[in-house]
Amino acid sequence: MSDAPHVPLASLTGSADPAVGRAFSSLDPQSGLRRLAAAEDLLTPSTAGKSFHIETFGCQMNVHDSEKVAGVLLERGYSPVDDPLAADVIFYNTCSIREKAAQKVFSRLGQHRGPAGRGKIIGVLGCVAQQEGEEIFERAPWVSLVCGSASYRRLPDLLAELESGNRRVMGLDTDTDETFETEITRRDNPFRAYLTIIEGCDKACSYCVVPYTRGPERSRSSDSILREVRELASLGYSEIQLLGQTVNSYRDPSPRALSFADLLFAVAETPGIRRVRFTTSHPRDFGPDIVAAIDAHPSICDHVHLPVQSGSTSVLRRMLRTYTRDEYLEKIAMLRSARRPIAISTDIIVGFPGENANEFSETLSLLDLVQYDQIFSFKFSPRPHTPAEHMEDALSEEEKGSRLSELQERQREIQLRRNQSFAGHSFEVLVDNRGHKSGQWAGRTSSNRVVNFASPRPDLLGQYVQVRVTQAGPNSLLGDLV
Ligand code: 5AD
Ligand code: SF4
């Protein structure tokens, strides 16, 4: 994950990305139907007419994992429903990156206690499953499936066991060297396709549960990635988002041995693909070849998410981030030297154990230096099995909260200033959402800025349009269709 999010926990905090945090509800006309027809052939008497509901928490990796799990369920003959209480199979794909996220699932599970959950398959997937394991059955005995992300390849077998009457099944391996690919991933967004290229994480940041919950790094072969990209293009997807906790640590296991930058370029070259994004990058593995690829191909989006976590070298050392403040700033200088401007976003943790006032002020001064386009910021949350869990942590929650507010306020001013500088400029926007009122639309620029605009046209979803910015707020732009 870097880092996170990866686009961090967007579903918990109210993401602008319509795909994040949504349950599987509507059929995707472009990717779903053709595949669904094939899936119907596989209906078995035990699953015919049965329904499922998946709720996803956490990062885009989780969102995409849920799309793959949905594919597995469709293949077995289940159909998606909106209402979890009406579903025969209810899966929670969970996040444990911070304690609050991890607690959420238990309140959800409470809804199915007693008669409400009788006769249903209730499953916990993802990071909380991996972390809590069998204890979930003890806390919520009506749960019948617990499966971590490194074991998703076993899901069809686990489901078959439940369908044939087994009461409880579990998949908790993390030593798998395989990635989870399905023939029928059911993508939830008809224009933007997520595609995992590397799973797990081999970094060992001292605060982070991910290496523990998602297992070691394993990359997918470039042949298989590019084959899927061609297929996605033929289904009408125009934006590909390559995913990995440390996406730029990608190592092609096939004889072609493409570097990450080569792979980016090859994806961008695929006919029909107009935008390529990637998240999350780790600063240590971020080299000039990635910047060169962005410069060389207009379809590679001019946005990089490069989590820094702290602006203080001493905190970075305690976090085991493997770079100093100055080394990180060298990466920023590399990005700033690109031929076209590249938007930069980051993740920051405040209140890491032992963070003193001076160390915190170095994070504030880093914001001033870098002038990020967006930050995702979090209070440190001690996580089980991590070295930082037992580090001496003298800061009160109040102090962490006030540092977080100060940081966010500083960044708000920076973002507002940056966004205001775009007034009068025109951008190409991929329209990906309708506004609350009719005739209002929202989309994203290549640099990942959200732009709202009005148009009476009924058919803009999935279209690329030019929008001229008229007004700017800290988090979005307002414009007119050109
Ligand atoms: N406490 C607070 N924030 C964390 N993150 C990861 N682990 C923790 C933790 N224990 C943040 C990091 C990471 C993002 C996805 O979540 O900033 O990049
Ligand atoms: Fe990201 Fe570090 Fe966690 Fe790996 S260990 S997912 S690099 S924060």
Side-chain angles (χ1 to χ4, degrees), residues 2-5 97-98 207 309 347 349 378-379 381 383:
S2 65
D3 316 247
I97 197 119
R98 284 171 292 276
Y207 51 82
Q309 312 298 359
D347 294 344
I349 298 175
F378 315 97
K379 282 194 281 184
S381 165
R383 304 311 294 131

Side-chain angles (χ1 to χ4, degrees), residues 225 290 437:
I225 293 167
I290 302 175
K437 293 196 201 132

Side-chain angles (χ1 to χ4, degrees), residues 1-4 6 97 200-211 217 245-246 280 282 307 309 319-321 349:
M1 119 182 114
S2 65
D3 316 247
H6 358 169
I97 197 119
C201 180
D202 282 351
K203 313 286 186 286
C205 304
S206 62
Y207 51 82
C208 185
V209 279
V210 166
E217 267 173 26
Q245 311 296 338
T246 54
T280 288
H282 192 287
Q309 312 298 359
M319 287 178 163
L320 304 180
R321 283 294 285 180
I349 298 175

Side-chain angles (χ1 to χ4, degrees), residues 116-231:
R118 228 159 267 154
K120 304 194 169 199
I121 294 178
I122 296 165
V124 179
L125 307 175
C127 294
V128 175
Q130 191 65 48
Q131 190 181 293
E132 303 287 328
E134 229 164 325
E135 285 206 2
I136 294 177
F137 293 135
E138 275 158 41
R139 280 180 74 174
W142 53 95
V143 169
S144 46
L145 178 143
V146 170
C147 185
S149 69
S151 301
Y152 288 159
R153 290 185 74 84
R154 289 184 52 213
L155 263 182
D157 294 340
L158 296 175
L159 278 166
E161 282 182 45
L162 288 173
E163 286 156 5
S164 65
N166 244 359
R167 177 69 194 83
R168 277 181 182 167
V169 295
M170 234 174 24
L172 294 175
D173 319 321
T174 51
D175 55 355
T176 171
D177 56 3
E178 290 178 293
T179 53
F180 174 50
E181 288 174 45
T182 66
E183 291 300 311
I184 64 149
T185 298
R186 216 281 264 132
R187 289 188 163 79
D188 201 38
N189 179 313
F191 347 106
R192 173 183 304 131
Y194 293 129
L195 209 151
T196 310
I197 63 165
I198 173 169
E199 291 183 10
C201 180
D202 282 351
K203 313 286 186 286
C205 304
S206 62
Y207 51 82
C208 185
V209 279
V210 166
Y212 175 75
T213 56
R214 284 191 169 264
E217 267 173 26
R218 53 238 186 251
S219 296
R220 191 176 158 184
S221 85
S222 57
D223 286 346
S224 131
I225 293 167
L226 292 170
R227 200 177 323 117
E228 188 168 355
V229 170
R230 285 192 293 274
E231 196 189 323

Side-chain angles (χ1 to χ4, degrees), residues 9-30:
L9 307 191
S11 68
L12 301 180
T13 53
S15 157
D17 186 332
V20 172
R22 214 161 67 191
F24 289 84
S25 52
S26 60
L27 270 186
D28 162 354
Q30 308 241 24

